[in-house]
Amino acid sequence: MTRVYAVKKIKKRRSRFGPQQNGHEKELLCHRIASGHRNVLTLHHVIDSGDVLYLVLDYLPEGDLQTSLTEHGSMYRSHPQHIKRIFLQILDAVQHCHDKRVYHRDLKPENVLLKDFGATAVLADFGLSSRKASSVDFEIGSDYYMSPECYGELHCSKPYASVPNDVWSLGVMLFYMVIGSPPWTAARTGCKSFLSFLCDPDFFLRRYPVSAEMNRMLMHVFAIDPTRRMSIDQLRGYVQGISLFTVTESQVRRLRTVMARPPRATV
């Protein structure tokens, strides 16, 4: 039986001494170490042709989670069990990577592939991954998904831990799956939405149709202090236990009416 593979082409950097593989060894090492899990894209072979590296990977023709959310977002939002199934698989993949001391640093729907008619999620693209538990590489990743400490702004450019940085990205991914958009364009004070989040403890309840359960989880996964951010195991427990990610428009209006009332005076 013929098996089909995908091939990723990486052009080596050049110097006056010729093509240089430096910069790609990290991706290859991290991907090799992370391979072997059912929810991680398998790297089968690397072919070095001199100027170019060819990475031989599993071929998954169903596309990525971002495309699926764009084209079938209402299907996800109307079936919370499907969101749970896909997101829990992503958590399993990331936890496997962390157990192997591989930190992805670019977790987003574009880097999650789908197979089995959309029922199975597979983590891909280790181009920005690292084996360092602590990092001083700032603004590494994609704006929507980077944690505030990765921007360096709120934490005075101090070294930041790689695990909670990935957890923050996972929180944004789940929010995207549930709501259909990320909560902000960037987790920095120059972004009005993120600044509103910093100033308003009821930010999500005021702006989005999230349930009280979902709101409680978001406040833990988006803890500004990385040491207080929930772990992947805690995030998994929250997601498994949530009965509703969102509420109806009438429930939203009723909640916002209650929130807008001034507190009762006490005697």
Side-chain angles (χ1 to χ4, degrees), residues 19-249:
Q20 301 293 307
Q21 189 173 331
N22 291 342
H24 303 304
E25 294 98 330
K26 184 172 62 174
E27 175 181 358
L28 301 180
L29 175 62
C30 288
H31 201 157
R32 279 196 179 105
I33 292 171
S35 289
H37 189 278
R38 68 182 297 270
N39 298 116
V40 175
L41 187 69
T42 300
L43 172 60
H44 293 281
H45 303 288
V46 177
I47 301 170
D48 190 338
S49 70
D51 289 338
V52 175
L53 295 172
Y54 296 96
L55 279 57
V56 181
L57 309 159
D58 284 336
Y59 176 57
L60 304 183
E62 293 180 35
D64 59 59
L65 180 59
Q66 177 65 48
T67 302
S68 185
L69 289 170
T70 301
E71 297 178 353
H72 311 292
S74 59
M75 182 270 290
Y76 285 85
R77 294 189 288 278
S78 61
H79 294 86
Q81 289 304 318
H82 185 56
I83 291 178
K84 282 189 180 186
R85 180 167 57 248
I86 294 299
F87 189 71
L88 290 172
Q89 292 176 39
I90 297 170
L91 290 184
D92 288 344
V94 177
Q95 184 65 71
H96 165 76
C97 292
H98 289 183
D99 290 343
K100 297 286 188 179
R101 291 183 53 244
V102 171
Y103 311 104
H104 194 278
R105 303 202 302 177
D106 196 21
L107 295 170
K108 57 184 180 180
E110 292 95 324
N111 287 338
V112 174
L113 303 178
L114 299 174
K115 66 177 185 177
D116 302 329
F117 303 100
T120 302
V122 180
L123 183 63
D125 199 339
F126 287 79
L128 297 180
S129 58
S130 173
R131 302 211 70 210
K132 295 180 180 178
S134 179
S135 179
V136 291
D137 296 328
F138 298 103
E139 300 193 34
I140 290 290
S142 301
D143 280 337
Y144 290 139
Y145 302 93
M146 278 190 281
S147 66
E149 63 268 22
C150 188
Y151 280 108
E153 183 184 60
L154 296 178
H155 299 83
C156 303
S157 298
K158 295 179 181 177
Y160 61 92
S162 298
V163 168
N165 178 59
D166 273 355
V167 169
W168 180 283
S169 302
L170 288 167
V172 179
M173 288 178 67
L174 178 59
F175 188 93
Y176 196 123
M177 294 174 72
V178 170
I179 299 299
S181 65
W184 37 68
T185 55
R188 58 197 319 171
T189 55
C191 170
K192 290 183 178 179
S193 295
F194 183 67
L195 187 59
S196 296
F197 163 71
L198 293 178
C199 299
D200 183 2
D202 295 319
F203 171 81
F204 293 112
L205 293 174
R206 292 185 195 279
R207 295 200 175 205
Y208 301 99
V210 297
S211 66
E213 298 169 284
M214 178 72 170
N215 181 66
R216 191 159 47 249
M217 185 209 70
L218 291 173
M219 297 310 291
H220 287 291
V221 79
F222 292 138
I224 298 302
D225 181 350
T227 64
R228 300 177 66 86
R229 201 168 297 155
M230 65 169 55
S231 66
I232 290 180
D233 277 343
Q234 290 170 327
L235 180 54
R236 181 184 290 108
Y238 262 93
V239 171
Q240 288 173 330
I242 286 180
S243 55
L244 290 173
F245 290 109
T246 58
V247 292
T248 64
E249 283 301 316

